[in-house]
Amino acid sequence: VSGAFTNQNKNKHALSKTLPLDPIVSLLLGPVSRRRFSQNERSLFGFLASHEKFGFREFLDSNYCVLNEELNLYRPEMYWDYLYHNLHHLIVTSQDSKAWLEGCDAIYRAEQKGGELHTAITKLIALLTIFGFHHQLHAKRDFIKKYFISRGYEAAEIMQSLIDLETWTVVIYRQKHDALFVFQGSDI
């Protein structure tokens, strides 16, 4: 994620207070809740407190929070699933509809051609493409590599997944932003 923070220590402390939300999900909650489709307070409240499918409360209630004595985080791919399951019908009628449908198409293609890591990377890139762009939250290769290494994946596996996704035109590199974005060349 690029240029999002100027005071690293202060921001690390602030993001640590949002655990067990993954820091990326924490960063995206604001931009998503300000979108026209999400009805501001209702969607943020719905995500955090209601029993909506794939919501944060369901995550907490399902005892997914602590697994093997290790903190399990509510990850970006879970947030994508929440948005898809609960707000898809609103997003497709909003100004974000084209980007959203391109994200859905990219994820579908990643699921068909690749594995779990391909899908998780694509969901992260789709969220950043749709909701992070105007907040300078971009999916830089180095960030994606470090992020997924922190989740236990091997660097070579991550880099091969990125190569696969680009080869399959699921994602595309844009030099202007030095980042990966969901490929926008579909028939949508």
Side-chain angles (χ1 to χ4, degrees), residues 4-188:
F5 297 121
T6 54
N7 185 339
Q8 292 291 329
N9 290 333
K10 180 179 175 185
N11 293 312
K12 274 185 187 179
H13 180 68
L15 286 174
S16 71
K17 290 183 175 185
T18 67
L19 295 174
L21 285 175
D22 185 281
I24 299 303
V25 175
S26 297
L27 290 171
L28 288 169
L29 284 177
V32 171
S33 71
R34 286 190 286 277
R35 293 304 236 250
R36 290 194 179 184
F37 67 81
S38 60
Q39 303 166 5
N40 297 329
E41 302 82 17
R42 192 218 65 83
S43 67
L44 188 56
F45 176 79
F47 170 71
L48 292 172
S50 79
H51 290 278
E52 291 177 308
K53 186 88 172 138
F54 300 113
F56 187 58
R57 179 101 182 238
E58 181 181 88
F59 171 78
L60 294 174
D61 289 347
S62 299
N63 296 317
Y64 287 119
C65 222
V66 177
L67 211 58
N68 300 327
E69 303 288 325
E70 192 174 304
L71 182 65
N72 190 24
L73 299 178
Y74 186 91
R75 302 285 188 191
E77 57 270 24
M78 297 170 178
Y79 191 45
W80 176 274
D81 293 342
Y82 165 79
L83 292 171
Y84 185 83
H85 187 80
N86 296 292
L87 298 174
H88 176 80
H89 66 288
L90 296 172
I91 299 172
V92 296
T93 61
S94 74
Q95 65 188 19
D96 294 310
S97 64
K98 183 178 184 300
W100 176 259
L101 291 171
E102 289 167 345
C104 292
D105 180 60
I107 291 163
Y108 174 78
R109 290 184 289 125
E111 289 172 337
Q112 296 303 304
K113 293 185 176 194
E116 181 182 311
L117 180 58
H118 292 92
T119 302
I121 290 172
T122 305
K123 286 180 179 181
L124 173 61
I125 293 172
L127 285 168
L128 293 174
T129 298
I130 300 165
F131 305 113
F133 182 80
H134 296 294
H135 301 277
Q136 288 74 48
L137 299 172
H138 301 302
K140 294 185 176 282
R141 283 189 181 106
D142 189 52
F143 163 74
I144 292 172
K145 181 178 146 190
K146 289 177 182 175
Y147 176 75
F148 282 97
I149 285 173
S150 76
R151 290 178 54 173
Y153 292 95
E154 297 293 324
E157 179 184 16
I158 298 161
M159 297 314 287
Q160 185 58 54
S161 294
L162 289 174
I163 290 167
D164 293 343
L165 291 170
E166 287 185 81
T167 302
W168 302 332
T169 61
V170 170
V171 300
I172 189 168
Y173 174 76
R174 289 193 187 157
Q175 187 172 3
K176 178 180 178 182
H177 302 288
D178 185 30
L180 295 164
F181 293 84
V182 167
F183 184 72
Q184 298 175 339
S186 68
D187 294 333
I188 297 171

